[in-house]
Amino acid sequence: MRTFRNITGNQTIIKLLKNAIFYNKVSHAYIISGDEGCGKTLIGETFAKTLLCEEGKTDACCNCISCKSFENGNNPDIFYVKPKKGKTKSIGVNDIREQVIENVSIKPYKYKYKVFIIENADDMTKEAQNAFLKTLEEPPEYGVFILLARNPEKFLPTVLSRCVNIKIRPLSNGEVINYIRTYTEIPDEKIELFAEYSRGSIGRALMMSQSSEFIEMRENIINTITNLYGKNDFYACDSVKYIEEYKNEKGLLDIMYMWYRDMLSAKVLKDDKYIIQKDKKDIIFKEANKYSAECIIDKAEACLEAKNQLLKNVNFRLCMEVLLMKLKESY
Ligand SMILES: [Zn+2]
């Protein structure tokens, strides 16, 4: 159940929202932004739930009718604004008219506020934002809008300036590890691994831990690069075919980089407590014996270089051919 007390990290933001409730200084509009899986929906929804909680405290009680109806998805004063089914993913001017402007003019059914949660609010068209602007300029006293967004720069400056802007930062590795350890069944040997891949997002860590595709991708990538040892240039170039299907996966080069980083820890520090991929520690130690520390560092750097190249939209196949040729070298 959503409560502020159960949220990991982002405590400054949570304090700001709790203070707004406590001091009765709730603004009419909030933009909560951050990457996929950063917890913006969780924070936005918890704020909405707390605003309507009948206990009137700074965190949801989870026992009152309002809290319970929110968790059941039928609180009469909380509305989710979405693009109409069958249309494109952008929120159009008609969606805003029908779901926001017409609705907000009617007083709350039961509670102090009427809360509108707009998911992917940055997908609002310019026309939709302009239509919404009128409501933002003169909102009814009870109206609260929570706009969830990945790219706040897509909002018109006029919309931005009328909202409280809250940016959710990625959590630290330690915070993610603590969360995973406390709230999930992920086995110990994989906790650090998922925390590392999650890049500060609990949502992403959980998603990956439940995704068989991610686990399969990781296996395929590790197999491809470990098989390069002792092979010729032709084999290395041809091996691109084993990883080509992951060309749009952001994690591809992270997985490769982490592989060599762990190998370097094994080689230099010779202690498995420094290895993140504990589930593979035996093979990491074995692999580390095949190369010099210098060679492993060069490989890790080649992975970072390839990652930068791909961000610049360099041809995937070419970039990977160069990388795999480098990764097959041993000295
Ligand atoms: Zn409550």
Side-chain angles (χ1 to χ4, degrees):
M1 281 206 255
R2 296 162 185 80
T3 58
F4 283 136
R5 58 191 172 275
N6 283 341
I7 293 178
T8 301
N10 290 300
Q11 293 305 306
T12 318
I13 289 166
I14 286 161
K15 199 167 171 201
L16 178 136
L17 295 173
K18 286 170 100 171
N19 279 348
I21 299 172
F22 184 79
Y23 292 108
N24 218 356
K25 289 212 157 44
V26 175
S27 300
H28 287 293
Y30 294 84
I31 291 174
I32 304 180
S33 62
D35 289 341
E36 197 77 62
C38 71
K40 56 184 179 296
T41 308
L42 176 67
I43 290 176
E45 288 183 333
T46 306
F47 184 47
K49 182 181 174 187
T50 310
L51 279 175
L52 300 196
C53 172
E54 291 169 27
E55 287 293 308
K57 302 257 173 64
T58 57
D59 202 354
C61 76
C62 296
N63 290 318
C64 71
I65 293 171
S66 176
C67 284
K68 282 183 178 161
S69 63
F70 176 78
E71 289 295 341
N72 293 330
N74 53 17
N75 189 302
D77 286 321
I78 294 184
F79 300 88
Y80 286 85
V81 179
K82 290 176 180 171
K84 264 207 174 144
K85 279 201 184 93
K87 291 203 316 178
T88 52
K89 69 174 189 135
S90 57
I91 301 171
V93 64
N94 283 334
D95 295 319
I96 293 299
R97 275 200 199 113
E98 287 162 20
Q99 296 177 57
V100 178
I101 300 173
E102 285 172 22
N103 190 352
V104 79
S105 60
I106 305 161
K107 286 209 166 105
Y109 177 79
K110 192 170 173 191
Y111 300 107
K112 187 176 169 188
Y113 300 104
K114 197 162 178 170
V115 184
F116 294 80
I117 298 173
I118 311 184
E119 295 170 298
N120 301 318
D122 45 343
D123 285 336
M124 271 195 281
T125 61
K126 279 213 168 79
E127 294 74 26
Q129 292 190 47
N130 273 320
F132 182 48
L133 191 59
K134 294 192 188 91
T135 306
L136 280 181
E137 282 165 343
E138 291 169 28
E141 209 178 322
Y142 50 79
V144 176
F145 301 94
I146 299 172
L147 285 68
L148 307 173
R150 267 162 301 176
N151 304 306
E153 61 275 15
K154 280 163 76 182
F155 289 113
L156 297 174
T158 41
V159 170
L160 272 175
S161 68
R162 282 180 174 78
C163 299
V164 175
N165 283 293
I166 293 174
K167 188 142 186 55
I168 304 205
R169 313 237 167 254
L171 300 181
S172 71
N173 229 352
E175 285 171 322
V176 178
I177 288 172
N178 266 343
Y179 181 92
I180 295 177
R181 195 162 275 149
T182 316
Y183 295 105
T184 76
E185 309 271 298
I186 295 175
D188 264 4
E189 58 172 24
K190 287 198 173 156
I191 288 179
E192 284 178 59
L193 169 74
F194 284 118
E196 188 68 27
Y197 285 136
S198 76
R199 299 195 295 276
S201 153
I202 285 173
R204 205 178 293 130
L206 295 180
M207 200 177 66
M208 284 185 310
S209 69
Q210 287 150 8
S211 147
S212 55
E213 282 112 43
F214 175 79
I215 292 161
E216 192 191 303
M217 168 169 89
R218 178 172 169 248
E219 292 298 328
N220 283 343
I221 292 168
I222 292 173
N223 279 339
T224 304
I225 56 179
T226 47
N227 282 338
L228 294 173
Y229 180 73
K231 301 287 190 346
N232 59 21
D233 285 355
F234 176 77
Y235 181 91
C237 283
D238 192 48
S239 293
V240 178
K241 68 185 179 203
Y242 300 120
I243 51 174
E244 203 152 24
E245 63 178 297
Y246 309 120
K247 64 195 262 183
N248 296 319
E249 297 284 344
K250 279 191 194 139
L252 167 67
L253 284 155
D254 291 339
I255 291 172
M256 291 188 180
Y257 173 72
M258 201 189 295
W259 186 250
Y260 294 109
R261 205 180 69 174
D262 268 353
M263 265 169 69
L264 189 64
S265 302
K267 181 100 198 164
V268 178
L269 303 168
K270 298 184 173 61
D271 185 340
D272 61 16
K273 81 174 179 212
Y274 299 108
I275 289 181
I276 291 166
Q277 305 169 87
K278 292 214 170 30
D279 60 326
K280 302 267 184 204
K281 65 174 191 233
D282 292 341
I283 161 165
I284 285 169
F285 271 102
K286 230 168 84 190
E287 286 290 305
N289 278 332
K290 295 180 183 169
Y291 307 96
S292 67
E294 192 195 355
C295 179
I296 300 171
I297 292 171
D298 289 347
K299 289 180 197 304
E301 280 176 356
C303 293
L304 291 182
E305 172 60 21
K307 191 177 175 182
N308 279 333
Q309 293 287 323
L310 287 184
L311 286 174
K312 292 178 195 154
N313 285 324
V314 168
N315 178 286
F316 178 83
R317 181 161 256 283
L318 277 178
C319 180
M320 284 301 128
E321 282 177 3
V322 172
L323 176 64
L324 294 183
M325 300 241 279
K326 183 98 204 162
L327 298 184
K328 87 168 177 42
E329 284 171 25
S330 55
Y331 41 90

